[in-house]
Amino acid sequence: MATERFGIRRTVAGPKRAMMLAAGLGKRMRPLTATTPKPLIEVAGRALMDHGLDRLEAAGVEEVVVNVHYLADLVEVHASRREKPHVHVSDERGTLLDTGGGIVKALPLLGPEPFYLVNSDSFWIEGVSPNLARLASAWDETRMDGLLMLAATVPAVGYDGPGDFMLDGDGRLSRRPASKISPFAYSGAAILHPRLFEGAPEGRFSLNVLFDRAIEAGRLFGVRMEGVWLHVGTPEAIREAEAAIQQSAA
């Protein structure tokens, strides 16, 4: 029988390993991040990174690599207290490597199989079916190097941007033209294959570099998420996310 927490329904489908990006400086979250790293800021009584780890645990993930940089000791200690999933730390104390470089550094810990990717500063209230399971069921290794979870921008909490991608009838992604607004934003969750990183730049670089390369090859796809995306990037967004969680539980 399925159990639930914050609207999360447990499942065992999908990759067994994941990467959580948690090394950012959290500048937009100041002054809260003056003494607390962004992944440890609480929303509804739970650290941001634990919301993401809860969803990975519910999806059957057994091991997660978390990269650390700003106030790294605090993040590492917090992560070490987690029993499931087991957390490995990828240390970026010396050099912040951005999203792409951070994953490249962590690849030896992630192994040769596809893995989940989640951001530590965004999560979601589940809809009818668990979103990581939706990703897993849509994943096709023969056609895809990356499968991104897309959030509808209108109902999203804490997001006011123009969107990121256009989604065609087959699920392939293209970039939003500069003159247009897209109904979809990248939610910070995905399944990626390690081959996406073959020939990647050295050092610090954005994951968007590889997303663009996969788009050109026709190998970047998207799935629209169910439920409500919570993008917690500012102190104001914390209150908005907590209100949405409270409303969903009513």
Side-chain angles (χ1 to χ4, degrees):
M1 181 176 176
T3 59
E4 293 190 3
R5 184 177 192 178
F6 290 110
I8 308 167
R9 188 181 302 171
R10 294 189 174 276
T11 178
V12 296
K16 299 302 181 185
R17 294 186 180 182
M19 173 88 188
M20 172 175 280
L21 297 173
L25 299 176
K27 292 180 179 179
R28 294 179 62 224
M29 194 65 84
R30 291 175 178 168
L32 299 180
T33 48
T35 56
T36 303
K38 188 176 181 181
L40 300 190
I41 289 175
E42 291 193 355
V43 175
R46 198 152 179 79
L48 272 172
M49 68 180 297
D50 282 323
H51 284 288
L53 290 170
D54 288 345
R55 283 149 183 76
L56 291 171
E57 181 186 357
V61 171
E62 298 172 353
E63 298 182 77
V64 180
V65 180
V66 176
N67 64 344
V68 298
H69 175 75
Y70 177 65
L71 298 176
D73 290 352
L74 297 179
V75 179
E76 189 168 2
V77 168
H78 184 88
S80 70
R81 296 173 180 150
R82 184 94 190 192
E83 293 186 5
K84 293 182 179 180
H86 178 71
V87 176
H88 304 271
V89 170
S90 181
D91 192 342
E92 296 180 28
R93 286 174 173 86
T95 303
L96 185 60
L97 294 171
D98 206 340
T99 52
I103 298 174
V104 168
K105 179 179 173 64
L107 283 177
L109 295 171
L110 290 166
E113 300 298 323
F115 57 90
Y116 285 118
L117 174 69
V118 295
N119 289 347
S120 62
D121 63 351
S122 64
F123 59 103
W124 56 91
I125 300 168
E126 299 284 16
V128 174
S129 58
N131 281 296
L132 293 182
R134 285 171 55 80
L135 274 176
S137 65
W139 173 254
D140 182 348
E141 188 168 326
T142 63
R143 297 193 302 151
M144 303 173 182
D145 290 339
L147 177 64
L148 311 188
M149 190 168 83
L150 303 180
T153 57
V154 173
V157 174
Y159 179 82
D160 59 0
D164 298 314
F165 294 102
M166 310 302 287
L167 182 68
D168 74 11
D170 292 327
R172 281 188 172 86
L173 296 182
S174 59
R175 286 289 182 184
R176 173 188 61 83
S179 60
K180 294 186 178 181
I181 294 176
S182 167
F184 301 113
Y186 171 46
S187 70
I191 294 177
L192 304 180
H193 196 287
R195 64 170 167 257
L196 177 69
F197 300 88
E198 293 176 358
E202 295 183 1
R204 180 174 181 169
F205 73 95
S206 170
L207 187 56
N208 283 308
V209 172
L210 302 184
F211 283 170
D212 288 341
R213 190 174 71 179
I215 287 172
E216 291 179 8
R219 296 186 63 82
L220 191 70
F221 287 72
V223 170
R224 179 173 176 173
M225 66 170 290
E226 294 182 346
V228 180
W229 180 41
L230 308 176
H231 178 59
V232 189
T234 64
E236 294 76 18
I238 295 174
R239 293 188 289 272
E240 294 173 5
E242 289 178 334
I245 291 170
Q246 185 176 13
Q247 183 177 4
S248 71

